[in-house]
Amino acid sequence: MHIFFQDAASARAGAWMTVSLRAIAENYDLVAGLAPEAECAAVVKADAYGLGAEQVAPVLAARGAKTFFVAHLDEGIALRAVLPDVRIFVLHGFMPGCEGSMQARGLIPVLNDPDQVRSWKRFCTKNEQAFPAALQFDTGMSRFGLSSADLQDRAVFEGLNLQLVMSHLACADEPDNPANDVQRQRFVDMAAQFPGIPRSLSASSGIFLGPEYHFELIRPGAALYGIAPSEGNRMLRPVVCLDARIVQIRTVEAGDRVGYGLSWAATKPTRVATLGLGYADGFFRAQEGRGAVWHDRTRLPVIGRVSMDSISVDLTEAPADLEAGDVLSVLGSAQDVDALARSAGTIGYEVLTSLGSRFHRVYVPAA
Ligand SMILES: *Cc1c(COP(=O)(O)O)cnc(C)c1O
């Protein structure tokens, strides 16, 4: 079970989020083991997918990760304060005029278009030093990166101190999608114009497509945090548990209604529990009529609308002696992050990165 009531703060809490740093470390090993020939970087953008970059990143570094990716410059600045010695790539590069903030912390911009390349080169020339940079290629997703046409003007890229060339797969979670191989081929062709520079194509799902997708560096994020790389893949350790205590229990009569809009009506006398988490905590409104919480192996459906700070659940199938203060599981062995996401019509990524800051957090140490 989890570590409840370690201190006064955990005793006061209405819900606890348990993050297993040990599971994250084990997932790093599992993913790195799939690509033994490649360097395994770690993606810790969005506060390590909502789990706390300050806690998570040092564990990954201790496990052997030497290269990290964040999305924004400010995320890089925060990460640098935690990890002074690792290599940090900033996926979005820099806003105009922010080259100095990047370089002063030893952060490496991913340059996504020719103007960014020119700005970085101007900055390097002014400082008489070729600071490291990475290039991203657009191989079909049309999101970030240089096009094949952009690569025609070779002079633009001369004099760069390139650490990495990279691209990103649009459909890697669908192993049979022909777009994967199309993007891979384009990536090989574009990278060939920068011989000797390490290449990176795959995030979590891409790593599972096989060795021809690994190149010299892999960039897992989600897999480290226990999100399955494709439907049904159960190889990774679950990382997050979320447990909520019952705030109140009532019995409603047939015909009574529950929640905003009075959208749910009892058809028989029903015990209803109110739990203290809601959409402000990342329990989505879309769970109305679909989502559930669990008592051991028993599914307890969410009834009525999800409020900002609370949900109501039907206790019909639960033991009769449940009372206020007892604990129900929102995320855990009965319902993982992907399952909770499915009932809200979304993906595990959105669930994890939405989990709020109001839960009492417990970190299970890596070792
Ligand atoms: C977010 C991101 C990753 C990590 O993706 P996961 O699917 O979470 O592994 C890797 N590369 C890029 C460019 C990203 O934006």
Side-chain angles (χ1 to χ4, degrees):
M1 258 312 268
H2 318 297
I3 315 161
F4 297 136
F5 311 131
Q6 320 185 96
D7 50 32
S10 62
R12 288 195 302 269
W16 303 271
M17 180 169 150
T18 312
V19 178
S20 173
L21 297 173
R22 187 181 314 151
I24 292 174
E26 288 172 7
N27 285 336
Y28 179 81
D29 288 351
L30 283 167
V31 173
L34 292 172
E37 308 294 322
E39 177 182 352
C40 186
V43 180
V44 295
K45 62 192 182 187
D47 202 23
Y49 293 45
L51 303 184
E54 207 178 315
Q55 287 80 12
V56 167
V59 168
L60 292 165
R63 209 68 173 194
K66 294 179 171 56
T67 299
F68 290 76
F69 287 84
V70 293
H72 294 279
L73 175 51
D74 273 343
E75 293 180 320
I77 291 172
L79 185 63
R80 177 57 81 209
V82 180
L83 293 176
D85 300 320
V86 301
R87 198 158 66 134
I88 302 174
F89 288 101
V90 178
L91 290 165
H92 292 187
F94 48 83
M95 292 298 143
C98 297
E99 296 88 338
S101 308
M102 178 80 65
Q103 188 275 320
R105 278 92 174 176
L107 305 172
I108 307 177
V110 175
L111 305 173
N112 288 305
D113 73 51
D115 283 337
Q116 272 192 352
V117 175
R118 289 188 194 96
S119 303
W120 190 247
K121 279 175 58 177
R122 262 197 309 277
F123 177 77
C124 291
T125 305
K126 209 168 78 198
N127 290 279
E128 298 179 345
Q129 198 178 333
F131 300 117
L135 291 181
Q136 174 148 226
F137 306 141
D138 174 34
T139 53
M141 195 172 177
S142 308
R143 191 178 65 164
F144 290 107
L146 301 147
S147 66
S148 304
D150 291 333
L151 298 188
Q152 301 289 311
D153 187 353
R154 303 299 304 164
V156 172
F157 304 97
E158 266 157 35
L160 278 177
N161 172 3
L162 279 184
Q163 301 283 305
L164 188 74
V165 293
M166 58 175 279
S167 188
H168 195 61
L169 296 168
C171 305
D173 58 335
E174 302 166 18
D176 298 328
N177 195 315
N180 294 324
D181 193 53
V182 171
Q183 284 197 270
R184 194 187 64 81
Q185 262 316 325
R186 282 189 193 145
F187 181 59
V188 168
D189 292 344
M190 292 172 89
Q193 302 181 49
F194 299 86
I197 306 301
R199 298 164 296 173
S200 177
L201 179 61
S202 287
S204 297
S205 301
I207 296 162
F208 289 80
L209 296 177
E212 66 275 29
Y213 285 84
H214 295 163
F215 297 96
E216 284 76 47
L217 182 141
I218 55 173
R219 309 187 305 268
L224 305 176
Y225 312 118
I227 293 174
S230 58
E231 184 95 22
N233 188 315
R234 295 257 165 275
M235 166 185 166
L236 300 162
R237 304 254 184 287
V239 167
V240 184
C241 286
L242 183 57
D243 298 276
R245 292 169 86 189
I246 297 172
V247 178
Q248 181 176 358
I249 296 181
R250 75 176 64 252
T251 299
V252 298
E253 301 303 326
D256 285 350
R257 288 171 176 269
V258 171
Y260 278 116
L262 306 179
S263 63
W264 187 88
T267 54
K268 57 180 181 2
T270 307
R271 270 163 46 91
V272 176
T274 307
L275 306 187
L277 83 168
Y279 62 76
D281 305 293
F283 195 96
F284 300 130
R285 288 183 82 249
Q287 297 283 10
E288 176 178 5
R290 303 169 65 186
V293 302
W294 293 72
H295 178 268
D296 291 334
R297 297 283 123 191
T298 306
R299 183 178 185 278
L300 306 174
V302 171
I303 55 177
R305 297 226 177 119
V306 173
S307 297
M308 183 186 292
D309 318 298
S310 67
I311 55 175
S312 302
V313 303
D314 180 343
L315 293 185
T316 303
E317 303 297 327
D321 61 354
L322 272 190
E323 55 187 24
D326 284 346
V327 177
L328 299 176
S329 167
V330 182
L331 280 174
S333 55
Q335 173 163 268
D336 65 12
V337 65
D338 295 305
L340 184 65
R342 267 192 301 279
S343 60
T346 182
I347 54 173
Y349 292 70
E350 193 179 20
V351 168
L352 272 198
T353 54
S354 301
L355 291 178
S357 52
R358 288 196 290 183
F359 305 124
H360 180 76
R361 284 202 185 190
V362 178
Y363 286 93
V364 177

